[in-house]
Amino acid sequence: MILVLSNEMPDEERLELIKKMEEIGLRVHESQGERYRLLGLIGNTSTIDRNRLNAIRHIEKIIPVQESYKLANKAFHTKDSTIIDVKGNKIGGENIALIAGPCSVESEEQIVSIAKDIKKSGAKFLRGGAFKPRTSPYSFQGLGSEGLDLLKIAREETGLPIVSEIMSVRYIDEFAENVDIIQVGARNMQNFDLLKELGELKTPILLKRGLSSTIDELLMSAEYIMAGGNENVILCERGIRTFETQTRNTLDLSAIPVLKKHTHLPIIVDPSHAGGMWWLVEPLSKAAVAVGADGLIIEVHNDPENAKCDGQQSIVPERFDTLTKQLRKIAELDNRII
Amino acid sequence: MILVLSNEMPDEERLELIKKMEEIGLRVHESQGERYRLLGLIGNTSTIDRNRLNAIRHIEKIIPVQESYKLANKAFHTKDSTIIDVKGNKIGGENIALIAGPCSVESEEQIVSIAKDIKKSGAKFLRGGAFKPRTSPYSFQGLGSEGLDLLKIAREETGLPIVSEIMSVRYIDEFAENVDIIQVGARNMQNFDLLKELGELKTPILLKRGLSSTIDELLMSAEYIMAGGNENVILCERGIRTFETQTRNTLDLSAIPVLKKHTHLPIIVDPSHAGGMWWLVEPLSKAAVAVGADGLIIEVHNDPENAKCDGQQSIVPERFDTLTKQLRKIAELDNRII
Amino acid sequence: MILVLSNEMPDEERLELIKKMEEIGLRVHESQGERYRLLGLIGNTSTIDRNRLNAIRHIEKIIPVQESYKLANKAFHTKDSTIIDVKGNKIGGENIALIAGPCSVESEEQIVSIAKDIKKSGAKFLRGGAFKPRTSPYSFQGLGSEGLDLLKIAREETGLPIVSEIMSVRYIDEFAENVDIIQVGARNMQNFDLLKELGELKTPILLKRGLSSTIDELLMSAEYIMAGGNENVILCERGIRTFETQTRNTLDLSAIPVLKKHTHLPIIVDPSHAGGMWWLVEPLSKAAVAVGADGLIIEVHNDPENAKCDGQQSIVPERFDTLTKQLRKIAELDNRII
Amino acid sequence: MILVLSNEMPDEERLELIKKMEEIGLRVHESQGERYRLLGLIGNTSTIDRNRLNAIRHIEKIIPVQESYKLANKAFHTKDSTIIDVKGNKIGGENIALIAGPCSVESEEQIVSIAKDIKKSGAKFLRGGAFKPRTSPYSFQGLGSEGLDLLKIAREETGLPIVSEIMSVRYIDEFAENVDIIQVGARNMQNFDLLKELGELKTPILLKRGLSSTIDELLMSAEYIMAGGNENVILCERGIRTFETQTRNTLDLSAIPVLKKHTHLPIIVDPSHAGGMWWLVEPLSKAAVAVGADGLIIEVHNDPENAKCDGQQSIVPERFDTLTKQLRKIAELDNRII
């Protein structure tokens, strides 16, 4: 970390600042420029509260050199990549995991039927929303706990581990007990209290990138969970907000190789929410596999036109089946397995 | 609401759609264009689940004509503006309310001293963070419940009602009992479960606009709280995320007159978080009053350089005092009172 | 196009408006909602000046139903896709065109050597900057006309048609005479006078999407060129500005299938400028081919570390060669040819 | 400027780099961190081509400490603020300059009538568009040179200097001869060839901030003009693109105090284009004066509903007159003059 000091900072103030930094175990390297004096802080700066330094009037700028996340950081990790393994279904490494299922669980028949279909096509996990984040209080809010029960029936029938989104700390216990991978939605990526409580579980967490969050912010949110002790975090790129209105969001596929450079955590892609239209799912999924994603989470519904939510971005099981075949071929080019 | 139908939609499908719409009490007006057929839906469309219509493949586009919020909507409200009154301290109408205090409560001495100072200068409410949303798990997270206790002591000493941020539904009861205005931070603007639970209280809610949320989304979040029964919502513009890096965020002052056009709820401005630098507080506060805001929430600290958070954007009590005098003069030009 | 009228609009004003619309050949369809009256305008509305309608105080909103571009619009075009053919080198249709070369032409030796290398690997066009848009007046601005001369030598030696960027109408004649495809950079996408003058040429135009332009705006800029008579336009997605700072820009690959839905013009991708880093070129290129792009424009340099510009995002000829082999395999999966 | 080097950079490469830097007159200060080695470059780094350094594979990051603009930089300027003086009409310093007039010149009667009205209300400059940048090729494109002639008649009649927008280098001579302040529109802010040619004139240039440009980029564009020899640059904040759709753009008023900190050039505000609606002009103008702007450029039309462009954001002369009275009162609070 580099501190840019105004030349007007009194010597005694500067010396005191240096003393403080040394007291917390850092070495300080001074350097005098034309209009500024620089302090290079050497050592573990990830626990420094940048905000507090910022308050010192003669510090003009604080320039981080290293990343602020440590547990999520590849540079500090023994293994090159973390593999999440739920009863033999893996995310990370050579495996490209397909997670599929409806936006929201609607009935036993619906969820079991979809689960069977996607399993046949090669999906390794079943997704389904029980508690739904909706921008309008007047929209369908999900079946709640009943939805989780139906998901469990589908798991029973197919053996597929289940993925579902948590929206409130009130349901931590229920999710910890019943769900195999707990999803944190884009709008809750910086719900820090939720992240902290999830950090105390052992269940893997599927953490979606916020609508206008940077890659660093996503990693800092992963760090929140990991700092609590739960290192089973799967990152998910699901599109960011841009000025483009033809798509629901803009899928940031560059984020995949960039994340792979900085973190050992697996990274999957959600083409359904990113594009917001069923006919975009196929090309975006292919691109996601080609760019190196560790998996995909795709909305599949057996009757999209009557889906209780997100029908416009869901594909039918037949199309999912065709898609998986195409994806497999792209994966094979890189010796990866779907 | 207007539905744009593809010309390829079979007649029977269209007729069924029209029937459904009529069944939920809407009148439907058809119109045939060159490449599209339009259905105009007349009546209360705010409860329609747009998402579900979207799923119908032959609906090319859904064009809302009216706003989706109803309770927050000026057009459906009897009074022109809602006034929030906490023990005689008002926000809304002719009154410009000043809310001031430190980013975070640090000690009894600190908070009481600041409370006395700002009261003398004309502030009507004391703000102070007890639970702090921080992007890093390694940063100071606030004093928690102890912070609320210290705020209560300051209220006791000065009579100023207190404003503090809630971060988790776990603390709903504690906040309802102890805090006069409960603040929802920008990152929680779409924490729908939190909004729902706050909707069941009577305590006024200070709802901050999300970092990259639109005005409509802010109003939909207010609608969530109001739909639960709590109509005491104060909106707060606190800067939105843009490409500009010289300021922490970009204060969107146009949002004030736009919101005044659409809603009866009071709207205040947070120049401290918007600019992120103490020397921006003064010009932005003046602009906020000139543009018509109903109040300001300003970070004031008696020792910014040693503040535990946000010191760089806090002003000292003396500067706050000078500022209030300037603001008063601008307010008087429009016959408004600080 | 739908006009949303305030209920307070006097009848005579409304009737006059309807009359005006009918006079320019539109049919008008009226519909009375609860709070608004709607006018549906049927016919060719692409020549209506929306701006002027906006000025009428009682028009609350103008809602376009059809796109504003006509010549670039697939719906009004006889062929499904336009193929640009420069001396047998094709862009569009089943062919995936590779355009490669250095950011800027530096010497005869450099450009000829690179041209030979990329040709061997399968590139169909040579790119090279002679006039460079640089954000600082103190940066290297390109060799100018001399650069074009060197490009012509490389064309002579390899037979590869050349692509170069024009920055000013002052050079229209020089480019028309010497360059095979004239590139319009992102920052000039809305330099309307330049677009107009290019519309009078026959040379194909490679039009890059502006840094924060929408897909519709890109198509409107293509429309400017086409309206002048030059229908040989190639669109190029090169990354848009977002909050992400780890990449130079955010490559919007969803734009490819969206554009393919709306226009018959070919669309290529520039992974070099989008990512801004050489190690991102490979994964992004693979994703671009998988998503359906009609071509790629890639910066290749034989000595990136000493390149006069953009060295950090250039790959060496050997890597380009390996890359083309990978891309070819992905292309084959869809029966497309590189 | 600080260079962050990978620890894997070979010593000889590093020594060569240091030698190069010293050869161009910089002092180099080394510092070894845990994972990186830093080089601090001391001296005038504004002419370093960052891009070229970026290409060196072992340079992980380049961190600018000083600004890249020099002529526009307050730190290197003798006077605190530059005052532009056109025949006694001043922009900058204690004077708040009002520039007003129609979006586009339509007829002699129109422009002369508006000019007389705004002069009476206290405007110091007349604006009027002759060449209009329009996103659609089918919209009214302005009267062209005839428009400039009409502006000159209005100047003759009122004595008001005239401000008009240039769109192409083809008209440089015509503008230099006829126009008092040449405006560069937002979309041309990075039309570098235009900036270069304007740098050779003496006429003051009104440079509008690009739709999604940062403050630093605006200053770099000013630097382009100044580097050519023309130091008479007036900056103009006119709203930036954000996700908000209720306003045409988002007026960034924080930019005013930030610019005043970094540059000596005067900064004015365009509330008409920023908000895009006539009823926003008044509150935004008041806020702009309160925040410290050096002037305003406001669209005034005597018949907005029949204006050939931007009627929806134009105010009538009577409203302009009322507005100036309000603005004057706010200005007086800071001892500034309108």
Side-chain angles (χ1 to χ4, degrees):
Chain A
M1 189 177 281
I2 295 158
L3 308 183
V4 181
L5 310 182
S6 146
N7 270 344
E8 281 147 38
M9 188 181 211
D11 281 356
E12 59 203 297
E13 267 192 44
R14 195 182 78 252
L15 294 174
E16 178 149 351
L17 175 63
I18 292 174
K19 207 177 126 208
K20 263 195 210 168
M21 294 297 112
E22 288 173 343
E23 277 168 14
I24 58 171
L26 301 171
R27 280 187 300 124
V28 180
H29 195 124
E30 288 194 71
S31 159
Q32 177 65 49
E34 283 194 332
R35 289 168 51 213
Y36 300 109
R37 191 173 189 94
L38 308 187
L39 297 191
L41 306 184
I42 298 159
N44 177 12
T45 54
S46 74
T47 55
I48 290 188
D49 198 333
R50 222 182 283 179
N51 204 283
R52 297 188 63 175
L53 287 176
N54 244 327
I56 301 179
R57 295 296 190 255
H58 287 113
I59 297 186
E60 297 272 326
K61 235 190 272 191
I62 296 175
I63 301 168
V65 176
Q66 295 188 34
E67 302 84 7
S68 316
Y69 46 93
K70 212 171 161 90
L71 299 169
N73 199 326
K74 204 173 189 168
F76 299 118
H77 202 255
T78 49
K79 285 173 298 180
D80 197 51
S81 58
T82 286
I83 295 178
I84 305 291
D85 186 332
V86 184
K87 301 172 198 161
N89 297 286
K90 292 175 186 165
I91 306 179
E94 295 313 300
N95 308 285
I96 299 177
L98 297 185
I99 305 173
C103 166
S104 94
V105 182
E106 295 169 19
S107 69
E108 181 178 330
E109 199 207 337
Q110 174 233 28
I111 192 71
V112 172
S113 152
I114 295 174
K116 286 181 179 169
D117 282 340
I118 60 162
K119 190 185 179 184
K120 225 177 295 170
S121 305
K124 289 286 188 291
F125 297 86
L126 173 67
R127 62 147 289 157
F131 299 84
K132 300 300 307 171
R134 307 302 299 276
T135 45
S136 165
Y138 309 123
S139 298
F140 173 61
Q141 310 272 320
L143 293 184
S145 303
E146 193 197 327
L148 292 188
D149 290 340
L150 299 178
L151 278 170
K152 284 160 68 181
I153 294 175
R155 175 174 59 190
E156 188 73 27
E157 298 260 343
T158 58
L160 292 179
I162 55 180
V163 183
S164 200
E165 177 171 349
I166 193 166
M167 284 180 58
S168 167
V169 289
R170 294 240 189 265
Y171 299 97
I172 288 272
D173 294 339
E174 194 174 340
F175 272 72
E177 193 176 333
N178 296 307
V179 170
D180 299 297
I181 297 182
I182 302 177
Q183 178 177 321
V184 176
R187 285 176 186 77
N188 277 319
M189 192 199 86
Q190 293 193 320
N191 182 340
F192 301 118
D193 278 50
L194 179 59
L195 301 180
K196 279 182 201 169
E197 297 205 19
L198 293 171
E200 291 164 19
L201 304 181
K202 295 216 160 95
T203 318
I205 308 301
L206 174 52
L207 179 66
K208 290 196 154 187
R209 181 178 180 184
L211 278 86
S212 59
S213 298
T214 62
I215 290 173
D216 273 3
E217 287 167 340
L218 173 60
L219 288 169
M220 282 311 289
S221 286
E223 189 82 3
Y224 250 100
I225 299 169
M226 298 172 88
N230 187 351
E231 304 212 352
N232 300 308
V233 179
I234 303 151
L235 305 172
C236 180
E237 161 61 34
R238 46 77 72 209
I240 51 174
R241 190 168 257 199
T242 67
F243 303 133
E244 186 49 61
T245 55
Q246 295 264 7
T247 43
R248 181 165 170 174
N249 290 114
T250 296
L251 185 61
D252 177 11
L253 284 178
S254 322
I256 312 305
V258 169
L259 278 164
K260 292 228 155 278
K261 199 173 187 233
H262 292 297
T263 185
H264 52 90
L265 299 172
I267 305 120
I268 67 167
V269 165
D270 177 346
S272 310
H273 281 84
M277 251 111 44
W278 62 269
W279 52 272
L280 281 170
V281 172
E282 184 185 307
L284 294 182
S285 296
K286 289 161 73 176
V289 170
V291 94
D294 293 309
L296 289 164
I297 179 164
I298 297 180
E299 291 196 342
V300 174
H301 199 286
N302 49 2
D303 184 10
E305 303 218 359
N306 291 305
K308 288 212 168 152
C309 76
D310 281 355
Q312 87 287 355
Q313 68 195 34
S314 300
I315 56 175
V316 290
E318 296 70 36
R319 193 174 278 270
F320 179 69
D321 192 61
T322 319
L323 176 58
T324 54
K325 286 179 185 130
Q326 295 179 294
L327 298 179
R328 218 163 263 138
K329 285 183 194 158
I330 299 177
E332 280 165 9
L333 296 177
D334 287 326
N335 299 315
R336 304 175 76 212
I337 310 148
I338 289 188
Chain B
M1 189 176 281
I2 294 158
L3 308 183
V4 181
L5 309 182
S6 146
N7 270 344
E8 283 147 37
M9 188 181 211
D11 280 357
E12 59 202 297
E13 268 192 43
R14 194 182 77 252
L15 295 173
E16 178 150 350
L17 176 63
I18 292 173
K19 208 178 126 205
K20 263 194 210 167
M21 294 296 112
E22 287 172 344
E23 277 168 14
I24 58 171
L26 301 171
R27 281 187 300 124
V28 179
H29 196 124
E30 288 194 71
S31 158
Q32 176 65 49
E34 284 195 332
R35 289 168 51 212
Y36 300 109
R37 191 172 189 93
L38 307 187
L39 298 190
L41 307 184
I42 299 160
N44 177 12
T45 54
S46 73
T47 56
I48 290 188
D49 197 333
R50 221 182 283 179
N51 206 281
R52 296 189 64 175
L53 287 177
N54 245 326
I56 300 178
R57 296 295 191 254
H58 287 113
I59 297 186
E60 297 271 325
K61 235 190 272 189
I62 297 175
I63 301 168
V65 176
Q66 295 187 33
E67 302 83 7
S68 315
Y69 45 92
K70 213 171 160 88
L71 299 169
N73 199 325
K74 204 173 189 169
F76 299 117
H77 203 256
T78 48
K79 285 173 298 179
D80 196 52
S81 57
T82 287
I83 296 178
I84 305 292
D85 186 331
V86 183
K87 301 171 197 161
N89 298 285
K90 293 176 186 164
I91 306 179
E94 295 314 298
N95 309 284
I96 298 176
L98 297 184
I99 305 173
C103 167
S104 95
V105 181
E106 295 169 18
S107 69
E108 181 178 330
E109 199 205 339
Q110 173 232 31
I111 192 70
V112 171
S113 151
I114 296 174
K116 286 182 178 167
D117 282 340
I118 60 163
K119 190 186 179 184
K120 226 178 293 170
S121 305
K124 289 285 188 293
F125 296 86
L126 173 66
R127 63 149 286 158
F131 299 84
K132 299 300 307 172
R134 306 302 298 275
T135 45
S136 165
Y138 310 122
S139 297
F140 173 61
Q141 310 273 321
L143 293 184
S145 302
E146 193 197 328
L148 292 188
D149 289 340
L150 299 178
L151 278 170
K152 284 161 67 181
I153 295 174
R155 174 174 62 190
E156 188 74 28
E157 297 259 343
T158 58
L160 292 178
I162 55 182
V163 183
S164 200
E165 178 171 349
I166 193 166
M167 284 180 59
S168 168
V169 290
R170 295 241 189 264
Y171 299 96
I172 287 272
D173 293 340
E174 194 174 339
F175 272 72
E177 194 177 330
N178 296 307
V179 169
D180 299 297
I181 297 182
I182 302 177
Q183 178 177 320
V184 176
R187 285 176 186 77
N188 277 319
M189 192 199 87
Q190 292 192 320
N191 181 340
F192 301 119
D193 277 51
L194 179 59
L195 301 179
K196 279 182 201 169
E197 297 205 20
L198 292 172
E200 291 163 20
L201 305 180
K202 295 216 161 95
T203 318
I205 308 300
L206 173 53
L207 179 65
K208 290 196 154 187
R209 181 178 180 185
L211 277 85
S212 58
S213 299
T214 62
I215 290 173
D216 272 4
E217 287 168 339
L218 172 61
L219 288 168
M220 282 311 288
S221 286
E223 189 82 4
Y224 251 99
I225 299 169
M226 298 172 88
N230 186 353
E231 305 210 353
N232 300 309
V233 179
I234 303 150
L235 305 172
C236 180
E237 161 62 33
R238 45 78 72 211
I240 51 175
R241 189 168 257 199
T242 68
F243 303 133
E244 186 50 59
T245 54
Q246 295 264 5
T247 44
R248 180 166 170 171
N249 291 114
T250 297
L251 185 62
D252 177 11
L253 284 178
S254 322
I256 312 305
V258 170
L259 278 165
K260 292 229 155 278
K261 198 171 186 235
H262 292 296
T263 186
H264 52 91
L265 298 172
I267 306 120
I268 67 168
V269 166
D270 177 346
S272 310
H273 282 84
M277 252 112 43
W278 61 270
W279 52 272
L280 280 170
V281 172
E282 184 184 308
L284 294 182
S285 296
K286 290 161 72 176
V289 170
V291 95
D294 292 310
L296 289 164
I297 178 163
I298 297 179
E299 291 196 342
V300 175
H301 199 286
N302 50 1
D303 183 11
E305 302 218 359
N306 291 305
K308 288 212 169 154
C309 77
D310 282 355
Q312 86 288 357
Q313 68 194 34
S314 300
I315 56 174
V316 291
E318 295 70 35
R319 193 174 278 269
F320 178 70
D321 192 61
T322 318
L323 175 58
T324 54
K325 286 179 186 129
Q326 294 178 295
L327 299 179
R328 218 163 261 137
K329 285 182 194 159
I330 299 177
E332 279 165 10
L333 297 177
D334 286 325
N335 299 315
R336 304 175 77 213
I337 310 148
I338 290 189
Chain C
M1 189 176 282
I2 294 158
L3 308 183
V4 181
L5 310 182
S6 146
N7 270 343
E8 281 147 40
M9 188 180 211
D11 279 357
E12 60 202 296
E13 267 191 43
R14 193 182 79 252
L15 295 173
E16 177 148 350
L17 175 63
I18 292 172
K19 208 177 127 207
K20 261 194 210 168
M21 293 298 112
E22 287 172 344
E23 278 169 14
I24 59 173
L26 300 171
R27 279 186 302 123
V28 181
H29 195 124
E30 287 194 71
S31 159
Q32 176 66 47
E34 283 194 334
R35 290 168 49 211
Y36 300 109
R37 192 173 188 93
L38 307 187
L39 297 190
L41 307 183
I42 299 160
N44 176 12
T45 54
S46 73
T47 55
I48 290 188
D49 198 333
R50 219 180 286 180
N51 206 282
R52 295 189 64 175
L53 286 176
N54 245 326
I56 300 179
R57 295 296 190 253
H58 286 113
I59 296 186
E60 297 271 325
K61 238 191 270 191
I62 297 174
I63 301 169
V65 176
Q66 294 187 35
E67 301 83 9
S68 315
Y69 45 92
K70 213 172 160 87
L71 299 168
N73 200 325
K74 204 172 189 169
F76 299 117
H77 202 256
T78 49
K79 284 173 299 179
D80 196 52
S81 58
T82 287
I83 296 177
I84 305 292
D85 185 332
V86 183
K87 301 172 196 160
N89 298 286
K90 291 175 187 166
I91 306 180
E94 296 312 298
N95 308 284
I96 299 176
L98 297 185
I99 305 173
C103 167
S104 96
V105 182
E106 296 168 18
S107 69
E108 182 179 328
E109 198 207 340
Q110 174 232 29
I111 193 70
V112 172
S113 152
I114 295 174
K116 286 182 176 169
D117 282 338
I118 60 163
K119 190 186 178 184
K120 225 177 295 169
S121 305
K124 289 287 187 292
F125 296 86
L126 173 67
R127 62 149 286 156
F131 299 84
K132 300 299 307 171
R134 306 302 298 275
T135 44
S136 165
Y138 310 121
S139 298
F140 173 62
Q141 311 273 320
L143 293 183
S145 304
E146 192 198 328
L148 292 187
D149 289 341
L150 299 179
L151 278 170
K152 284 161 67 181
I153 295 175
R155 175 174 61 190
E156 189 74 28
E157 298 260 343
T158 59
L160 293 179
I162 55 181
V163 183
S164 201
E165 178 171 349
I166 192 166
M167 285 181 56
S168 168
V169 291
R170 294 242 188 265
Y171 299 96
I172 287 272
D173 293 341
E174 194 174 341
F175 272 72
E177 193 176 332
N178 297 307
V179 170
D180 299 297
I181 297 182
I182 303 177
Q183 178 177 319
V184 176
R187 285 177 185 75
N188 277 320
M189 192 199 86
Q190 293 193 320
N191 182 340
F192 302 119
D193 277 50
L194 178 59
L195 301 180
K196 279 182 201 169
E197 297 205 20
L198 293 171
E200 291 163 20
L201 304 181
K202 295 217 162 93
T203 318
I205 308 299
L206 173 52
L207 179 66
K208 290 199 155 187
R209 180 178 180 186
L211 276 85
S212 57
S213 298
T214 62
I215 290 173
D216 273 4
E217 288 167 340
L218 172 61
L219 288 169
M220 283 310 289
S221 286
E223 189 83 4
Y224 251 99
I225 298 169
M226 298 172 89
N230 186 351
E231 304 212 352
N232 301 309
V233 178
I234 303 150
L235 305 172
C236 180
E237 161 61 35
R238 45 78 71 210
I240 51 175
R241 189 168 257 200
T242 67
F243 303 133
E244 187 49 61
T245 55
Q246 294 265 5
T247 44
R248 181 164 169 174
N249 290 114
T250 295
L251 184 62
D252 177 11
L253 285 179
S254 323
I256 312 306
V258 169
L259 279 164
K260 293 231 155 272
K261 199 173 187 231
H262 292 297
T263 186
H264 51 90
L265 298 171
I267 306 121
I268 67 168
V269 165
D270 177 346
S272 310
H273 282 84
M277 252 110 45
W278 62 271
W279 52 271
L280 280 170
V281 172
E282 184 185 307
L284 293 182
S285 295
K286 290 161 73 176
V289 170
V291 94
D294 292 310
L296 289 164
I297 179 164
I298 297 179
E299 291 196 342
V300 175
H301 199 285
N302 50 2
D303 183 11
E305 303 218 359
N306 291 304
K308 288 212 169 152
C309 77
D310 282 353
Q312 86 287 357
Q313 69 194 34
S314 300
I315 56 174
V316 291
E318 295 72 33
R319 192 173 280 271
F320 178 71
D321 192 60
T322 317
L323 175 58
T324 54
K325 285 176 186 135
Q326 295 180 292
L327 298 180
R328 217 163 264 139
K329 285 183 195 159
I330 299 177
E332 281 166 8
L333 296 178
D334 287 325
N335 299 315
R336 305 173 76 213
I337 310 149
I338 290 189
Chain D
M1 188 176 284
I2 294 158
L3 308 183
V4 181
L5 309 182
S6 145
N7 270 344
E8 281 146 40
M9 189 181 211
D11 280 357
E12 59 203 297
E13 267 192 44
R14 194 182 78 251
L15 295 173
E16 178 148 352
L17 176 63
I18 292 173
K19 208 178 127 207
K20 262 195 210 168
M21 294 298 112
E22 288 173 343
E23 278 168 14
I24 58 172
L26 300 171
R27 280 186 301 124
V28 180
H29 195 125
E30 287 195 71
S31 158
Q32 176 66 49
E34 284 194 334
R35 290 169 50 214
Y36 300 110
R37 191 173 189 93
L38 308 187
L39 298 190
L41 307 183
I42 299 159
N44 176 11
T45 55
S46 73
T47 55
I48 289 188
D49 198 332
R50 222 181 283 180
N51 206 282
R52 297 189 63 174
L53 286 177
N54 245 326
I56 300 178
R57 295 296 190 252
H58 286 113
I59 296 186
E60 297 272 325
K61 237 191 270 190
I62 296 175
I63 301 168
V65 176
Q66 295 187 34
E67 302 83 8
S68 314
Y69 45 92
K70 213 171 160 90
L71 299 169
N73 200 325
K74 204 172 189 169
F76 299 117
H77 202 256
T78 49
K79 283 173 300 179
D80 197 52
S81 58
T82 287
I83 295 176
I84 305 292
D85 186 332
V86 183
K87 300 171 198 161
N89 298 286
K90 291 175 188 165
I91 306 180
E94 296 314 297
N95 308 285
I96 298 176
L98 297 185
I99 305 173
C103 166
S104 96
V105 182
E106 295 168 19
S107 69
E108 181 178 330
E109 199 206 338
Q110 174 233 30
I111 193 70
V112 171
S113 153
I114 295 174
K116 286 181 177 169
D117 282 338
I118 59 163
K119 190 185 179 184
K120 225 179 294 169
S121 305
K124 290 284 187 294
F125 297 85
L126 173 67
R127 62 149 285 157
F131 300 84
K132 300 299 306 170
R134 306 303 299 275
T135 44
S136 166
Y138 309 122
S139 298
F140 173 63
Q141 311 271 322
L143 293 183
S145 303
E146 192 198 329
L148 292 187
D149 290 341
L150 299 179
L151 278 170
K152 284 160 67 181
I153 296 175
R155 174 173 61 190
E156 188 75 29
E157 298 261 342
T158 60
L160 293 179
I162 55 181
V163 183
S164 201
E165 177 171 350
I166 192 166
M167 284 181 56
S168 167
V169 291
R170 295 243 189 264
Y171 299 97
I172 288 271
D173 293 341
E174 194 175 339
F175 272 72
E177 193 176 332
N178 295 307
V179 170
D180 299 297
I181 297 182
I182 303 177
Q183 178 178 321
V184 176
R187 285 177 186 76
N188 277 319
M189 191 198 87
Q190 293 192 320
N191 182 338
F192 301 119
D193 277 49
L194 179 59
L195 301 180
K196 280 182 201 169
E197 297 205 21
L198 292 171
E200 291 163 20
L201 305 181
K202 295 219 161 91
T203 318
I205 307 300
L206 173 53
L207 179 66
K208 289 197 156 187
R209 181 179 179 183
L211 276 86
S212 57
S213 298
T214 62
I215 290 172
D216 272 4
E217 288 167 339
L218 172 61
L219 288 169
M220 283 310 290
S221 286
E223 189 84 4
Y224 250 99
I225 300 168
M226 298 172 88
N230 186 352
E231 305 211 351
N232 300 309
V233 179
I234 303 151
L235 305 172
C236 180
E237 160 61 34
R238 46 77 73 209
I240 51 175
R241 189 168 257 198
T242 67
F243 303 133
E244 187 50 61
T245 54
Q246 295 265 5
T247 44
R248 183 167 170 172
N249 291 114
T250 296
L251 185 62
D252 177 11
L253 284 178
S254 323
I256 312 306
V258 169
L259 278 165
K260 291 230 155 277
K261 197 171 188 235
H262 292 295
T263 186
H264 51 91
L265 298 171
I267 306 121
I268 67 168
V269 165
D270 177 346
S272 310
H273 282 84
M277 252 110 45
W278 61 270
W279 51 271
L280 280 170
V281 172
E282 184 185 307
L284 294 182
S285 295
K286 289 161 72 176
V289 170
V291 94
D294 291 311
L296 288 164
I297 178 163
I298 296 179
E299 291 196 343
V300 175
H301 198 286
N302 50 1
D303 183 11
E305 303 218 358
N306 291 305
K308 289 212 169 154
C309 78
D310 282 353
Q312 86 287 357
Q313 68 195 34
S314 299
I315 56 175
V316 290
E318 296 70 35
R319 193 173 278 270
F320 179 71
D321 193 60
T322 318
L323 176 58
T324 53
K325 285 177 186 133
Q326 296 179 293
L327 298 179
R328 218 163 261 138
K329 285 183 193 158
I330 299 176
E332 280 165 10
L333 297 178
D334 287 324
N335 298 316
R336 305 173 75 212
I337 310 148
I338 291 191

